[in-house]
Amino acid sequence: MPFLKPDFLVIFDLHCHSTASDGVLTPAALVARAHEQGVDVLSLTDHDDMRGQADAARAALALGLRYVPGVEISVTWSGHTLHIVGLGVDPEHPQLLAGLSANRAGRAERASQMGEALARVGIPGALEGAYAYAVNKDLIGRTHFARYLVEEGYVKDVKTVFKKYLVKGKPGYVHHQWASLTEAVAWVHAAGGQAVLAHPGRCNFGREKMRALLAEFRDLGGEAIEVVTGSHTPEQVPIYAELADEFGLYASSGSDFHAPGEDGRELGRLMSLPPICRPLWATW
Ligand code: AMP
Ligand code: MN
Ligand code: MN
Ligand code: MN
C-alpha cells in the first residue's frame, strides 16, 4: 500500500542498502520501493562499494525521483567501528574507488575467520551459508552471516544473531581494521561529496567520547551527523539534534533500510528533523 502523504511533505531518505552490499533488493527494486513509499529524494549508500549507483540513478530518473549518489564507509576510530556516509560523491572518483577497494579487501579473510569461529561454537557451514546470501561477494559481511543463522534456526531474527554472536565479545566477532576517519572524510571530499557521521547513537559512547569524536570529525571538515535514522530511538533524536547544533554540524536523515520486514525499518518512514536542526540539504 503506497503511503498517502500530504503534498507539502518532502521526504528525504539519505541512507539505505541494496544487493551491492547487505541489502536484499537490487538497486532498481530499492528505488521502486522508495518511490512507492513516497520518498522524494533518495541516496543509496551501500557499504564500501558503489557498484549499485548507476542502476539506482537510472531507475530514479525513470520514476522522477531525485537521486543523490552515496556510500557508507567503514571506519576504525579509537578501536571502535564507525560508519561515515558520503553524499553527493562522484561514483567514479579514482581516489574514493581506491579507498573503498582497500576497505573491501579484508572482508574475505575476516569472513573465513568468522566461519571458523562459529564452527568452534557448534555452527558449521556458516561461511558458505553467508556467501549464498551475498550477491556482491566482495562485500561479504556480518549481515549475510546473520541471515544464514536465522535460516538455519539457530536464532530467531537478525537482531538477536548480532547480540548473541556478532558483536564485540561474542564468539563470531572478528576484529577488523577499516579506514581511518581522516581517510574516509578525505575520500568523500576528494569525490566532491559531503561527509555524514552515520547513526551516532549506535556508537554506545559516553558523552565525553562522543564529544571527542564530534570535535575531531568537525575539525576534519565533516559536514553533518544523522540525527534521524532507523537506528535511533525517539529519545536519541533530540540528543543528537542538540549535539549537531553545538558542534556547528548539519543534520541528515535516513532509514538505513536493508530488507523488507527485517528490522521494522521502512524506506521513507522517518520522523521530521527537530526544528533546531539545519538540514544538510539546505546546502544543496
Ligand atoms: P559489517 O560491515 O560486515 O561489519 O556489517 C555491518 C552491518 O551489520 C551494519 O551495516 C548493519 O547492517 C549490521 N548490523 C550491525 N550491528 C547490528 C545489530 N546490532 N543489529 C542488526 N544489524 C546490525
Ligand atoms: Mn548494513
Ligand atoms: Mn551503518
Ligand atoms: Mn547503513
Side-chain angles (χ1 to χ4, degrees):
M1 253 286 278
F3 165 54
L4 294 175
K5 65 169 183 172
D7 289 342
F8 58 81
L9 197 61
V10 179
I11 300 182
F12 290 80
D13 192 335
L14 304 176
H15 186 155
C16 61
H17 298 271
S18 75
T19 48
S21 64
D22 56 358
V24 304
L25 301 181
T26 63
L30 181 93
V31 169
R33 188 179 181 97
H35 183 64
E36 274 171 28
Q37 296 295 333
V39 173
D40 298 284
V41 185
L42 180 75
S43 183
L44 168 63
T45 54
D46 279 309
H47 299 287
D48 301 321
D49 205 310
M50 297 194 77
R51 69 188 70 182
Q53 294 300 310
D55 282 355
R58 201 176 305 118
L61 188 66
L63 290 168
L65 203 103
R66 290 188 60 188
Y67 186 72
V68 179
V71 68
E72 181 173 19
I73 306 175
S74 310
V75 162
T76 302
W77 180 81
S78 187
H80 302 269
T81 299
L82 308 176
H83 288 167
I84 297 295
V85 162
L87 294 176
V89 283
D90 170 1
E92 286 168 12
H93 194 275
Q95 189 183 343
L96 174 60
L97 291 184
L100 297 179
S101 170
N103 237 12
R104 286 193 299 268
R107 280 184 176 269
E109 176 56 29
R110 179 182 70 148
S112 305
Q113 291 178 22
M114 285 175 67
E116 288 163 17
L118 288 167
R120 285 195 291 273
V121 295
I123 302 176
L127 181 64
E128 296 71 24
Y131 268 112
Y133 278 97
V135 172
N136 174 4
K137 308 294 179 202
D138 294 346
L139 222 286
I140 184 77
R142 286 185 290 165
T143 309
H144 304 119
F145 281 86
R147 292 189 184 128
Y148 174 72
L149 266 63
V150 172
E151 174 198 294
E152 289 297 302
Y154 291 107
V155 187
K156 70 172 184 329
D157 59 27
V158 163
K159 203 184 158 86
T160 314
V161 182
F162 273 87
K163 216 182 279 175
K164 286 178 77 170
Y165 291 103
L166 301 182
V167 294
K168 218 180 232 177
K170 299 297 170 178
Y173 179 81
V174 174
H175 174 76
H176 190 71
Q177 190 74 22
W178 305 107
S180 69
L181 183 61
T182 306
E183 287 170 323
V185 173
W187 299 339
V188 169
H189 287 166
Q194 293 170 305
V196 182
L197 176 64
H199 43 64
R202 281 245 308 261
C203 294
N204 277 324
F205 293 167
R207 194 145 177 98
E208 283 322 301
K209 191 152 197 174
M210 179 50 67
R211 296 168 65 83
L213 169 61
L214 292 174
E216 190 174 327
F217 178 65
R218 174 201 57 202
D219 293 346
L220 289 169
E223 277 84 1
I225 66 179
E226 281 181 351
V227 169
V228 170
T229 140
S231 294
H232 283 171
T233 63
E235 294 72 36
Q236 285 176 312
V237 170
I239 295 173
Y240 289 99
E242 297 269 346
L243 281 168
D245 182 58
E246 180 186 336
F247 284 86
L249 292 161
Y250 288 98
S252 189
S253 181
S255 61
D256 208 357
F257 174 85
H258 284 73
E262 188 165 83
D263 46 16
R265 294 174 199 176
E266 184 51 86
L267 288 159
R269 294 297 166 86
L270 294 156
M271 60 192 271
S272 305
L273 289 175
I276 190 180
C277 290
R278 293 181 304 149
L280 182 61
W281 50 87
T283 67
W284 296 351

